[in-house]
Amino acid sequence: MAYFLIENDTQCGPYTLEELSHKKIYQDTPVWTQGLDDWAKAKDIPMLKEILKTVPPAYKKAPPAIPIPTPPSYSNSTTAKYHGYNLATRWERFVAAFIGTLIILVPVSILTKGEYGAGDSYFSLFGFIVDTTIAVIIGGLMYPLWGGNIGHKIFGLKVISLKNGVDMKQPVNGIAREVLKNILGYFILPIIWLLWDEDKQNLYDKAMGTVVVKKKEE
């Protein structure tokens, strides 16, 4: 049986089981072989468990010729860590947030007769109540429909749990994420944390255990 693995973000192989024993394979090394639908961690492939523990005798002869299978494509940004999704880029998240905010603010400004956003109202009790109400509406109505807010919907993004990959469609979770985002937004830094974060998470994402990903093409 032939095995392929990812070394330094490059697909390598095919290798026999004995050849793999001389490679630097770690528990989280991505490996693929016939019978697997997608790449898996070495520790999750039963045939490799002994290789991870011991070193077998030196390879003595070439294995018989076997058909070389073609593994599925491997993308460094699509890993098991993100449950098969690609993370949304920082630019995509910024544009989605900007457009989504504009769409929400127009009707809100009309309903409040221009009082919201005027002068110091944004930092007032009135502004806080309006922001919180908007966050509750977005989290309670949009998340169950789209797994995110209207900006996410427009740009083909959604919010998922980093732990299990489940779409963030529970109203209570959507409300909690949007309200927390609103509160932390007053401090600026927590909502620009993704500029340097490896998982492109803001601090409210870290608190909720969420990441923003690109929806898969159907």
Side-chain angles (χ1 to χ4, degrees), residues 1-206:
M1 184 175 290
Y3 295 84
F4 297 80
L5 56 86
I6 301 299
E7 292 182 304
N8 299 320
D9 294 338
T10 301
Q11 178 183 308
C12 302
Y15 301 109
T16 64
L17 194 59
E18 290 186 356
E19 288 173 327
L20 279 184
S21 67
H22 300 290
K23 307 291 292 184
K24 291 183 179 180
I25 300 179
Y26 305 98
Q27 292 191 355
D28 291 336
T29 298
V31 177
W32 182 87
T33 188
Q34 284 180 293
L36 296 179
D37 293 331
D38 207 339
W39 294 85
K41 294 180 180 179
K43 66 179 182 180
D44 296 329
I45 301 178
M47 296 81 77
L48 303 184
K49 287 185 177 180
E50 291 302 317
I51 289 180
L52 296 175
K53 296 178 181 178
T54 61
V55 178
Y59 178 77
K60 295 181 179 179
K61 63 178 182 179
I66 56 174
I68 300 177
T70 302
S73 60
Y74 178 85
S75 172
N76 189 41
S77 59
T78 305
T79 66
K81 183 176 182 181
Y82 306 118
H83 309 283
Y85 290 100
N86 287 309
L87 281 177
T89 66
R90 295 175 177 87
W91 177 248
E92 287 171 328
R93 289 196 59 177
F94 172 77
V95 174
F98 179 75
I99 298 299
T101 300
L102 285 182
I103 293 174
I104 295 296
L105 287 185
V106 171
V108 170
S109 179
I110 294 174
L111 290 174
T112 60
K113 298 180 180 180
E115 293 183 20
Y116 177 75
D120 296 328
S121 67
Y122 182 75
F123 297 99
S124 66
L125 178 60
F126 171 73
F128 178 77
I129 293 174
V130 173
D131 286 337
T132 302
T133 302
I134 294 172
V136 171
I137 293 173
I138 292 174
L141 297 180
M142 296 183 184
Y143 275 66
L145 289 174
W146 306 320
N149 56 44
I150 192 168
H152 295 144
K153 171 64 176 177
I154 292 172
F155 290 93
L157 309 177
K158 66 177 179 177
V159 183
I160 66 169
S161 166
L162 181 58
K163 180 179 180 180
N164 55 29
V166 174
D167 290 4
M168 189 64 57
K169 286 195 171 184
Q170 291 295 327
V172 64
N173 292 332
I175 290 172
R177 184 177 185 272
E178 287 295 317
V179 170
L180 184 60
K181 177 169 66 175
N182 174 57
I183 294 173
L184 293 179
Y186 287 96
F187 302 97
I188 307 301
L189 182 62
I191 63 171
I192 62 171
W193 193 268
L194 62 81
L195 294 178
W196 52 81
D197 188 82
E198 179 182 359
D199 296 320
K200 299 182 179 65
Q201 290 177 302
N202 277 319
L203 290 190
Y204 57 84
D205 284 310
K206 290 190 176 294

